[in-house]
Amino acid sequence: MMAVWACEKGGTAVERLDKRLASTGKWSRKEARELIRAGRAAVDGVPCRAPEAKVGEDAAVTVDGAPVGSGGPVYLMLNKPAGVVSSTDEPGERTVLDLLGEEYRGLGLFPAGRLDKDAEGLVLLTNDGPLAHRLLAPRSHVDKVYYIEVDGALDEGDVEAVRRGVTLGDGYECLPGELEPLSPGSAHITLHEGKYHQVKRMMAARGKPVTYLKRVRFGPLTLDQDLPRGGWRPLNEEERKGIFSH
Ligand code: URA
């Protein structure tokens, strides 16, 4: 009852919570009722399990913590598993969007930057084109940090080569980066640019091919260690501030 009261305190014009969710076009009325009963909806921050609860037009409705019907931009952190492609639609492939809940369908989300199919880790999913464009523009030099494992033993020569800028097989001279070995066969590598297969090509040029690659940082965003492979969550306020002030 408490929750219904909370739903009603909002505003003047009111409508049922299930109707409000269904009006976004993301769920049928039946699906909306089910997800409300499952405890996934909240109104003004108060969980609401009553599909018939009356919701004021100004009330902030969320599903799984994500705002509903606001039409505003969405920012999600995803821990991409291997085997999933960083695109929105690729026939025969499982895409990063396939990992999301149905409430995020139809919002125009896309990955800001790509990770190879066999790579894991941090991907920012958003529908904010200008922000993604800014983060990905070469002149923005957004740092990316990867944890890598290689075939071979990393040494001072590799550290120095990355510091000076590795020349790839096709002659491209990479910008200087940082390689911090963690063990003979593993390291963190920081890049300030984002060329196709760059880490793999750099390490191949050093004769130490990458066997495992995971992005752990993208600009101001650090991969949330609590996100399981395939897990995702909305960016928190601090993270949102971070990507905007970059
Ligand atoms: N470098 C790579 O080689 N692959 C990625 O997915 C990202 C950076």
Side-chain angles (χ1 to χ4, degrees):
M1 209 50 217
M2 171 65 192
V4 175
W5 173 82
C7 302
E8 286 177 340
K9 76 183 161 75
T12 44
V14 291
E15 66 179 337
R16 286 173 59 112
L17 179 56
D18 56 354
K19 190 160 174 240
R20 168 86 171 263
L21 293 189
S23 71
T24 64
K26 283 182 245 162
W27 302 277
S28 66
R29 191 83 174 254
K30 180 165 175 281
E31 287 167 338
R33 277 198 296 273
E34 284 167 3
L35 74 86
I36 295 165
R37 289 201 184 100
R40 294 169 55 199
V43 180
D44 289 337
V46 181
C48 191
R49 287 174 178 267
E52 71 282 5
K54 297 292 195 302
V55 182
E57 62 185 349
D58 299 332
V61 178
T62 56
V63 170
D64 296 334
V68 162
S70 66
V74 174
Y75 307 95
L76 303 178
M77 176 187 293
L78 167 74
N79 183 4
K80 185 184 103 58
V84 171
V85 295
S86 300
S87 66
T88 53
D89 183 23
E90 207 165 310
E93 298 286 4
R94 197 159 174 236
T95 75
V96 284
L97 296 191
D98 293 331
L99 300 169
L100 303 180
E102 74 266 25
E103 67 276 19
Y104 288 101
R105 303 280 157 77
L107 299 183
L109 292 173
F110 58 89
R114 286 177 164 254
L115 268 185
D116 294 339
K117 182 175 173 182
D118 61 358
E120 299 186 348
L122 175 51
V123 174
L124 171 65
L125 294 170
T126 184
N127 51 6
D128 185 339
L131 175 94
H133 189 73
R134 206 165 64 237
L135 290 175
L136 297 174
R139 69 184 140 71
S140 297
H141 295 297
V142 171
D143 292 356
K144 290 127 202 143
V145 183
Y146 302 88
Y147 167 77
I148 56 170
E149 292 175 7
V150 299
D151 200 0
L154 296 163
D155 56 29
E156 267 310 302
D158 301 312
V159 173
E160 186 57 18
V162 173
R163 199 181 64 74
R164 287 172 181 274
V166 172
T167 302
L168 301 183
D170 62 1
Y172 175 78
E173 290 183 18
C174 297
L175 290 179
E178 292 90 46
L179 181 74
E180 291 170 60
L182 302 167
S183 72
S186 69
H188 278 138
I189 183 166
T190 303
L191 301 187
H192 310 287
E193 59 183 338
K195 302 290 175 199
Y196 184 63
H197 289 332
Q198 187 167 353
V199 175
K200 290 177 184 164
R201 289 159 71 211
M202 285 170 74
M203 299 320 295
R206 297 294 308 163
K208 294 166 190 175
V210 169
T211 55
Y212 176 80
L213 186 148
K214 177 178 185 174
R215 182 155 62 198
V216 293
R217 194 155 73 74
F218 176 64
L221 301 178
T222 299
L223 181 64
D224 183 338
Q225 297 299 314
D226 290 336
L227 277 181
R229 285 189 176 99
W232 47 272
R233 63 159 174 78
L235 294 192
N236 61 36
E237 201 178 332
E238 197 181 328
E239 291 165 338
R240 284 201 304 273
K241 275 189 197 147
I243 55 174
F244 280 107
S245 59
H246 196 83

